[in-house]
Amino acid sequence: VGQYVELDVSVKGLASASNTGNETIDMGGQTTLELSSQVLVDGSTWSILADCYPSVNVKGSTTTITFRFPKFANNMLYDPVLATSSL
């Protein structure tokens, strides 16, 4: 069918969020979401996401992240990191 699988994920933070860099989102409340530009396809091949992805759209405390993953046959692994310094 297509070359990519596109997925939108919306995350609500504790306060107003901000995009502090291409791969880091400040979710408020001393919490950050670290995004990666790499994805493991079918358990054997690391690939780079398409240009300009993940795409981040911030509105108040809600952040919508659009991923464009390469097409896969069996499985795909993407692993973002949620970090907090308030614990």
Side-chain angles (χ1 to χ4, degrees):
V1 175
Q3 202 173 357
Y4 301 101
V5 174
E6 196 163 292
L7 173 69
D8 287 336
V9 176
S10 292
V11 181
K12 186 159 177 75
L14 299 173
S16 291
S18 63
N19 191 354
T20 60
N22 288 344
E23 297 179 350
T24 303
I25 302 166
D26 181 353
M27 301 300 293
Q30 298 178 321
T31 303
T32 59
L33 180 60
E34 302 286 339
L35 302 175
S36 173
S37 61
Q38 297 185 10
V39 59
L40 182 62
V41 178
D42 291 323
S44 63
T45 305
W46 283 100
S47 298
I48 302 294
L49 294 179
D51 286 341
C52 302
Y53 288 91
S55 172
V56 179
N57 183 10
V58 177
K59 288 186 181 178
S61 63
T62 300
T63 302
T64 301
I65 308 159
T66 302
F67 299 95
R68 182 175 279 179
F69 298 116
K71 191 173 177 181
F72 54 91
N74 296 308
N75 57 55
M76 181 270 316
L77 173 69
Y78 180 81
D79 192 16
V81 175
L82 187 62
T84 182
S85 60
S86 63
L87 294 179

